[in-house]
Amino acid sequence: MAAADWAVRGRLVDPERLRAAISAHPDHRQRAKLHAAAELVDASSESTKESELRALVALAGLPAVEGNVEVFDGRGRFVARVDLLFRAYGEVLEYHGDHHRTDLRQWRHDRTREAELESLGLHVMEVTNADLATPRLLVARIARNLQRRGWRSELAVSRWFPAG
């Protein structure tokens, strides 16, 4: 799916042509899975880990999330561009690769950026590769944060959600 996000974002493939190719796939047993993946394609994703995180959110039955959203303060000043935003709940998900921990300048920038976002009333949840390795724990944590901020539904996990 991340490759499809990249291809659609770069306009290397049209989403309709992608769906047509899936419909013509010779292995009918794989078509349902491929169609489910195609429904998750979003050109707003800018990295494979963002795509993976967004797919987990969707497959878990969490509310709709927006990708790579610019956030401004009350005076119209740009504050940040966030990876994923649950706008109705003021919840931000930020994927952080290891360089966000090992590069001191990046780490300091992230702390200030997070403080700015939180001063606007947003809650920022950092997600790492270790979190993606335990998807059920990750989405349960996201769900709790959303519930604290007013989400009243339950998880509706898709059959395509990873078993791990």
Side-chain angles (χ1 to χ4, degrees), residues 79 112-125:
V79 175
T112 301
R113 183 175 177 275
E114 186 174 315
E116 284 289 316
L117 289 165
E118 294 212 352
S119 76
L120 298 175
L122 298 169
H123 176 258
V124 179
M125 180 178 163

Side-chain angles (χ1 to χ4, degrees), residues 42 44 54 63-69 82-88:
D42 184 341
S44 72
R54 186 179 41 73
V65 67
E66 299 173 58
N68 291 297
V69 177
V82 299
D83 291 344
L84 297 172
L85 173 64
F86 295 95
R87 189 178 301 272

Side-chain angles (χ1 to χ4, degrees), residues 71 77-82 94 96 100 103-122 124 126:
V71 175
R77 180 185 63 93
F78 175 79
V79 175
R81 189 163 185 240
V82 299
E94 286 287 298
H96 282 193
H100 287 268
D103 180 327
L104 183 59
R105 195 162 135 186
Q106 180 67 56
W107 183 85
R108 287 178 176 155
H109 171 78
D110 290 343
R111 301 292 65 77
T112 301
R113 183 175 177 275
E114 186 174 315
E116 284 289 316
L117 289 165
E118 294 212 352
S119 76
L120 298 175
L122 298 169
V124 179
E126 294 178 4

Side-chain angles (χ1 to χ4, degrees), residues 10-27:
R11 298 195 172 135
L12 300 173
V13 67
D14 175 71
E16 290 305 314
R17 288 191 66 194
L18 177 63
R19 284 190 267 288
I22 290 169
S23 293
H25 192 281
D27 185 347

Side-chain angles (χ1 to χ4, degrees), residues 24-107:
H25 192 281
D27 185 347
H28 69 280
R29 294 172 295 178
Q30 293 296 318
R31 278 190 213 132
K33 190 175 192 176
L34 291 169
H35 277 297
E39 290 301 314
L40 299 174
V41 172
D42 184 341
S44 72
S45 285
E46 294 181 343
S47 75
T48 58
K49 294 302 181 177
E50 267 181 44
S51 294
E52 187 177 343
L53 177 57
R54 186 179 41 73
L56 288 175
V57 164
L59 292 172
L62 290 166
V65 67
E66 299 173 58
N68 291 297
V69 177
E70 292 184 343
V71 175
F72 299 88
D73 67 12
R75 291 187 221 126
R77 180 185 63 93
F78 175 79
V79 175
R81 189 163 185 240
V82 299
D83 291 344
L84 297 172
L85 173 64
F86 295 95
R87 189 178 301 272
Y89 303 100
E91 185 71 21
V92 172
L93 301 180
E94 286 287 298
Y95 178 79
H96 282 193
D98 209 35
H99 75 282
H100 287 268
R101 179 186 62 82
T102 60
D103 180 327
L104 183 59
R105 195 162 135 186
Q106 180 67 56
W107 183 85

